[in-house]
Amino acid sequence: MKWTKKDVGTGKANFPVQYDLSGRVEVIVKGSKTQVIGDCAFFLLRTSWTKFLCCLVGAYLILILFFALIYLAEADGMVCLIKDEPCDFWDALNLSVHSMSTIGFGSIVPQSALTHSAVAVEFWIAVLMGAGAGGLLFSRVSTASSRVAFSDVALVTNIRGCPTVTMRIVNERPFSSLFDVTCRVSALVKDPKAGMRILAPCELERSTNMMFRA
């Protein structure tokens, strides 16, 4: 349905609307709840391995630097057992790495209440991050996914006197085969009656394949 400015407020368009620079109506969605944790988990499950590892390493480094700055702000609250000099940034960074990785070599120990509390908080964050990262990694490895590639060029020709679009589809998994493959194709066309573009299903010469080998 295509709304105009006259329809707003008359009951025909009973939703909040706004107009872009070209005068077209844009629907404003209100009341939709955003789940930050669920959306982030879904992104980490569906993104590439490079982005997944970069996100994990980035979060790990940010937390290490954050707690290192906390330890550095309370430099007198930690003691280095292998030197007599006051603790510097690298000592605070080492304490943060040891606490985050739950190694605890014992060369740098907390002394004040602030550093003890920060170490405890960092430890539990490390445990939760390890559990979450392990669960995401297991889900990514255990979830089977197909790799189907389409040809860059589609051929338009006449088959039985009818204009037909042909394309090639291949299975990129070298050691696996897909069974009972079903394909559906739709074309985005403009409907003169509705005054908008719609997805029209296309009739395929062969829409199913019992075995799709690599």
Side-chain angles (χ1 to χ4, degrees):
M1 189 67 181
K2 190 175 182 180
W3 304 104
T4 61
K5 294 184 179 181
K6 296 181 180 180
D7 296 327
V8 180
T10 61
K12 295 182 180 180
N14 54 357
F15 50 83
V17 295
Q18 67 179 7
Y19 300 92
D20 57 11
L21 296 178
S22 61
R24 294 178 299 181
V25 176
E26 295 182 355
V27 179
I28 304 174
V29 180
K30 292 186 177 181
S32 178
K33 296 181 180 180
T34 302
Q35 298 180 357
V36 178
I37 298 178
D39 294 341
C40 292
F42 181 80
F43 169 77
L44 293 175
L45 286 175
R46 296 301 180 183
T47 189
S48 62
W49 279 101
T50 302
K51 293 181 180 179
F52 175 75
L53 295 177
C54 288
C55 289
L56 292 185
V57 174
Y60 181 76
L61 293 178
I62 290 174
L63 286 174
I64 285 178
L65 291 175
F66 174 75
F67 281 97
L69 294 177
I70 294 179
Y71 300 144
L72 186 62
E74 188 74 10
D76 297 335
M78 54 182 178
V79 176
C80 183
L81 302 180
I82 59 177
K83 66 177 183 179
D84 297 332
E85 300 176 359
C87 295
D88 53 9
F89 172 75
W90 296 110
D91 295 327
L93 186 63
N94 288 332
L95 178 60
S96 181
V97 171
H98 296 169
S99 302
M100 180 65 69
S101 57
T102 66
I103 296 176
F105 288 121
S107 58
I108 304 174
V109 294
Q111 292 292 328
S112 65
L114 177 61
T115 52
H116 276 290
S117 301
V119 166
V121 172
E122 188 175 9
F123 165 76
W124 282 110
I125 291 178
V127 171
L128 295 177
M129 281 190 60
L136 291 173
L137 183 62
F138 177 78
S139 298
R140 289 180 62 93
V141 173
S142 60
T143 302
S145 61
S146 59
R147 292 179 57 184
V148 179
F150 296 85
S151 59
D152 295 332
V153 179
L155 177 63
V156 180
T157 183
N158 286 327
I159 298 179
R160 304 185 188 93
C162 180
T164 306
V165 178
T166 61
M167 65 186 71
R168 290 181 178 270
I169 304 175
V170 296
N171 180 17
E172 289 189 332
R173 297 290 186 187
F175 304 107
S176 65
S177 299
L178 301 177
F179 296 93
D180 195 13
V181 178
T182 303
C183 180
R184 290 181 295 179
V185 178
S186 299
L188 187 62
V189 297
K190 186 175 182 179
D191 189 355
K193 296 181 180 180
M196 59 186 298
R197 292 184 297 178
I198 61 174
L199 285 175
C202 300
E203 183 179 355
L204 300 179
E205 182 71 19
R206 185 176 61 180
S207 60
T208 59
N209 197 347
M210 293 299 298
M211 180 179 293
F212 194 26
R213 300 179 62 90

